[in-house]
Amino acid sequence: ELFVIMGLSGSGKSTVLRCIAQLQRPSAGEVWLDDANLAAMPESRLMDIRRHRMGMVFQNFGLVPHFTALQNIAFPLKVRGEAALDCAAKAAEMLSLVGLDGRGDAYPSELSGGQQQRVAIARALCMEPRLMLFDEPTSALDPEMIKEVLDTMVTLAEEGMTMICVTHEMGFARQIADRVIFMDAGQIVEEAAPEIFFTVPAHVRTRKFLSQVLGH
């Protein structure tokens, strides 16, 4: 399924993603991925989960400054122990997927913010994760590149990957999401299918949010 999380700045959207990834340990509750409760795992096991089963693309791109784009993408694969030729081929494929053919030898300082974010997305996709977490994946992209990245996410969803995406791309959420979650003041106040969420939201705070964002 593809979940979209919406809400005003400071409502807790990114914190939810960080708790799912256990980058921020929740004080209570459980987080299940397949048959594993991540909240009960020691950090040593969580590292393995993040490396093999979970992809994360947050607002901080986290690229290694002295690595090229291709090296940044291939690095996690090398850490996982894959052959160098396989790493290079997969990295080139992912770079092409996010529309950066010809920029593989560029360093992060030579790339725009949007290009850096696309390298970060390619790096996460390269690991072929079971779950992808996106925190505003198109926020730094040029307008003409937004659709390409969103189309890539749609393809991943259609192939059966579970995805949780924090975004304000209303059209994307309305057309593609299986469920939309609205957060306010650290709470999930509404969860619904897109056709319900955008047309007859149940909660007054959701209606106010949509009125502010959509202008009606």
Side-chain angles (χ1 to χ4, degrees), residues 5 11-19 24 58-59 135-136 166 183:
I5 303 178
S11 61
K13 305 181 301 295
S14 296
T15 301
V16 168
L17 296 190
R18 293 181 62 83
C19 285
Q24 185 168 330
F58 295 121
Q59 292 174 354
D135 191 351
E136 293 282 5
V166 171
M183 294 190 65

Side-chain angles (χ1 to χ4, degrees), residues 54-140:
M54 186 184 298
M56 297 173 284
V57 179
F58 295 121
Q59 292 174 354
N60 178 7
F61 314 134
L63 302 181
V64 180
H66 59 276
F67 282 3
T68 66
L70 281 174
Q71 288 170 333
N72 265 285
I73 296 168
F75 179 68
L77 296 173
K78 292 181 178 179
V79 171
R80 198 162 69 178
E82 296 192 22
L85 286 176
D86 292 338
C87 293
K90 188 176 290 186
E93 178 186 351
M94 292 300 107
L95 198 65
S96 176
L97 187 66
V98 297
L100 286 175
D101 281 321
R103 300 311 309 270
D105 293 330
Y107 291 91
S109 62
E110 300 171 325
L111 300 171
S112 69
Q115 290 172 331
Q116 291 183 54
Q117 184 141 349
R118 280 181 270 159
V119 172
I121 292 171
R123 180 181 56 190
L125 296 178
C126 215
M127 302 299 287
E128 299 179 348
R130 288 275 294 111
L131 168 67
M132 280 289 291
L133 305 175
F134 291 94
D135 191 351
E136 293 282 5
T138 62
S139 62

